[in-house]
Amino acid sequence: MNKIDILLGLQWGDEGKGKVVDALTPNYDIVARFQGGPNAGHTIEFEGRKFVLHNIPSGVLTPGCVNVIGNGVIIDPHILKGEIEGLRQAGFDLKDTLKIANRAHLILPTHRALDAANEKALGKMKIGSTLKGIGPTYTDKTARKGLRIGDIAMDGFREKYEKLKQAHLQQIQGLGFDMTGFQLDGVDFNEYEKLWFEGIEYLRQFSFIDSEYYLNEALDAGKKVLAEGAQGSMLDVDFGSYPFVTSSNVVAAGVCSGLGIAPSRIGKVYGIFKAYCTRVGTGPFPTELFDETGETLRRNGHEFGATTGRPRRCGWLDLPALKYAVMLSGVTDLMMMKSDVMDEFETIKVATAYRYQGQETQHLPFAACTETMEPVYTELPGWRKKIEDRRQETEDRRQEAGDRIPEKLEAYIKYIEDYVGVPIKFVSYGPDRTQNILR
Ligand code: GDP
Ligand code: IMO
Ligand code: MG
């Protein structure tokens, strides 16, 4: 029986999922997103070109690959239209290869306004949301009030829209939020609403599918399917540092509900992490660095949000958090990204435990958001050597493993493997789709 493979972020997002999904896509027939929405920003670079995808799966740049936006994803039709058109102008026509789940929920313009109103009301305690309407849309989904892609083709769509919009406007008013002059992506709210409906009309040309049937039947027919996660495990609504999280299940379980795939049909679980950590938005980050080293990570790693442009908070690798994420998703293969960012470092620290309430522990505590967790570090020597770039060589030669990884980087990798208990099979040393070594 064919199984679905999964690729997930294991930290706070932005691990490099877009790059790896794109690099793996030649091995798959279908790539499917299962959760999140345009809060994601997945970067792909090749042949000097750079693409950032938000609502669209990262398999779209590989000719022939079918890309599915699954039922667990939430969609802003205006943003999605912009992305599809941008890709079309760059030479990638998705008309026949992009499929959208009927059951995927729609992000209304008022969901985005509500997001802004909620954040404003939280004041200093704000989540640091990307303001794409994620929280309010998933709230309506669980409250059984949402509008779905399939509704577009049904009678009474406009009426349902108006009803939900009015309910949102009341909530917004209740929060004391003034809509006068409120803008979305630089345009007036009413103008955005017009663009949103244009987006709805535009999407009608794509196939709306029952993605649970589509994917299970594809697996039955022997097709190879990769599920692409957004965000990272530490932002999971159940297991992240609640309430400073996103509003979906980012862990492997999200694939079951977000695509309609049974647990027994899950194959490989690729877990991806950076050789250090970053986080955007508010919330605990035990290994965060506020010094020159943090600046160096940000500068070398170009750590600025792909969706919002915000500077990312940077810090050392957090092994208890990584091990936790591996446990939650049953990760079978690890992939380490951005090792090149620390090429010049003389020494590197990794957190191996936390000091919490006077005790040393490797468990992430429930009260992580309110109590102090001090990381306990182990210091390792830096490798001070670049992985030799063999972009010009053939795929086989390039991916020849072992000998190209500097000895001390190999020791760093082994240290992580020993701690976490899962092999690191893939090491990425640059943003280009070819800058990887298989171990
Ligand atoms: P995603 O959200 O997980 O897809 O990650 P983002 O695209 O938000 O952020 C990852 C950033 O790191 C992007 O700018 C990538 O081009 C870049 N990147 C990915 N892998 C590497 C790597 O190994 N080295 C370096 N220097 N950059 C990388
Ligand atoms: P990718 O897929 C990094 C963060 C936001 C905020 C919190 C909630 O590119 O890895 P939301 O907009 O979901 O209400 O924001 O989650 N966040 C991300 N951080 N990468 C992402 O996606 C993120 N998506 C949401 O910064 O702290
Ligand atoms: Mg990102």
Side-chain angles (χ1 to χ4, degrees):
M1 181 173 72
N2 246 20
K3 295 189 173 185
I4 191 167
D5 295 336
I6 306 175
L7 185 133
L8 308 156
L10 299 179
Q11 296 166 319
W12 286 272
D14 304 330
E15 295 88 351
K17 298 175 292 292
K19 167 183 161 157
V20 177
V21 169
D22 170 66
L24 294 181
T25 298
N27 305 326
Y28 292 92
D29 301 299
I30 301 171
V31 175
R33 275 274 305 269
F34 61 91
Q35 48 70 236
N39 49 350
H42 295 181
T43 313
I44 300 169
E45 291 190 36
F46 64 97
E47 292 163 10
R49 305 169 87 185
K50 179 171 168 175
F51 298 86
V52 181
L53 303 172
H54 300 287
N55 239 153
I56 295 183
S58 301
V60 285
L61 302 178
T62 303
C65 178
V66 170
N67 285 267
V68 173
I69 301 180
N71 61 277
V73 178
I74 56 178
I75 295 170
D76 183 319
H78 171 59
I79 295 179
L80 181 53
K81 175 186 170 189
E83 266 188 84
I84 297 171
E85 279 299 294
L87 285 164
R88 194 176 61 78
Q89 279 155 22
F92 299 90
D93 189 347
L94 308 190
K95 178 80 184 58
D96 299 321
T97 51
L98 181 71
K99 313 212 176 280
I100 310 172
N102 274 313
R103 294 173 189 275
H105 279 246
L106 287 166
I107 302 172
L108 272 55
T110 39
H111 279 131
R112 292 193 62 181
L114 248 182
D115 218 354
N118 284 333
E119 284 283 75
K120 187 140 191 263
L122 283 168
K124 263 188 156 167
M125 287 296 286
K126 71 173 185 185
I127 312 290
S129 160
T130 59
L131 300 177
K132 303 295 178 194
I134 306 297
T137 305
Y138 279 119
T139 302
D140 276 349
K141 175 177 175 174
T142 37
R144 300 167 295 189
K145 292 176 184 161
L147 278 180
R148 298 182 289 175
I149 283 287
D151 290 321
I152 297 175
M154 311 284 273
D155 289 341
F157 178 72
R158 188 78 201 211
E159 290 73 40
K160 284 187 210 154
Y161 171 89
E162 281 301 328
K163 197 171 158 209
L164 193 53
K165 175 185 166 185
Q166 290 310 321
H168 288 160
L169 290 175
Q170 274 185 15
Q171 287 177 54
I172 289 164
Q173 203 180 23
L175 286 162
F177 187 80
D178 188 2
M179 288 285 287
T180 325
F182 178 70
Q183 293 201 331
L184 284 167
D185 298 344
V187 298
D188 191 62
F189 179 82
N190 293 328
E191 181 59 28
Y192 194 86
E193 195 178 33
K194 260 196 236 149
L195 295 172
W196 191 89
F197 274 103
E198 283 170 24
I200 291 281
E201 287 311 309
Y202 178 85
L203 290 186
R204 286 181 194 273
Q205 64 186 293
F206 290 89
S207 36
F208 298 165
I209 57 167
D210 294 328
S211 58
E212 63 282 23
Y213 281 115
Y214 183 86
L215 293 172
N216 280 291
E217 285 165 7
L219 288 170
D220 288 342
K223 300 260 191 236
K224 297 195 73 184
V225 186
L226 178 67
E228 172 182 2
Q231 290 76 58
S233 309
M234 303 308 290
L235 291 171
D236 183 273
V237 66
D238 278 276
F239 302 107
S241 44
Y242 194 90
F244 302 103
V245 293
T246 191
S247 298
S248 63
N249 278 121
V250 175
V251 297
V255 171
C256 298
S257 56
L259 292 177
I261 298 289
S264 55
R265 273 211 132 156
I266 290 177
K268 287 214 170 285
V269 182
Y270 298 108
I272 137 168
F273 69 101
K274 284 180 198 175
Y276 51 96
C277 286
T278 64
R279 174 166 200 167
V280 236
T282 329
F285 181 4
T287 61
E288 182 167 13
L289 291 165
F290 300 94
D291 57 6
E292 188 48 43
T293 310
E295 266 310 314
T296 306
L297 287 172
R298 184 153 39 247
R299 198 175 46 244
N300 291 1
H302 306 289
E303 296 295 357
F304 296 89
T307 298
T308 57
R310 293 178 290 178
R312 295 174 182 151
R313 300 156 66 193
C314 298
W316 297 121
L317 185 62
D318 184 334
L319 288 177
L322 187 65
K323 193 168 180 173
Y324 180 67
V326 163
M327 172 187 81
L328 293 171
S329 290
V331 170
T332 57
D333 300 55
L334 282 168
M335 301 175 150
M336 187 171 89
M337 312 299 288
K338 300 190 102 162
S339 63
D340 55 301
V341 172
M342 298 200 294
D343 277 350
E344 302 302 324
F345 282 34
E346 215 149 309
T347 54
I348 292 171
K349 289 186 187 176
V350 288
T352 51
Y354 310 116
R355 204 162 290 116
Y356 177 72
Q357 295 181 335
Q359 302 227 332
E360 232 176 72
T361 176
Q362 295 187 356
H363 281 223
L364 270 88
F366 168 78
C369 294
T370 48
E371 306 267 331
T372 319
M373 287 160 67
E374 215 185 295
V376 178
Y377 286 116
T378 296
E379 209 167 279
L380 300 166
W383 41 92
R384 311 211 72 193
K385 202 169 170 226
K386 284 194 179 315
I387 292 181
E388 180 201 335
D389 207 334
R390 289 197 194 156
R391 248 184 276 187
Q392 305 311 323
E393 300 193 8
T394 64
E395 187 77 2
D396 290 351
R397 277 276 294 151
R398 204 166 52 224
Q399 295 201 337
E400 243 170 53
D403 62 323
R404 289 175 58 208
I405 298 180
E407 205 178 310
K408 289 191 176 118
L409 172 54
E410 184 62 26
Y412 186 69
I413 292 171
K414 288 223 169 81
Y415 189 88
I416 300 167
E417 286 181 327
D418 285 346
Y419 187 101
V420 177
V422 176
I424 298 177
K425 298 248 179 99
F426 180 106
V427 178
S428 165
Y429 60 93
D432 190 87
R433 63 154 69 132
T434 61
Q435 290 176 298
N436 316 301
I437 294 187
L438 301 182
R439 275 176 87 245

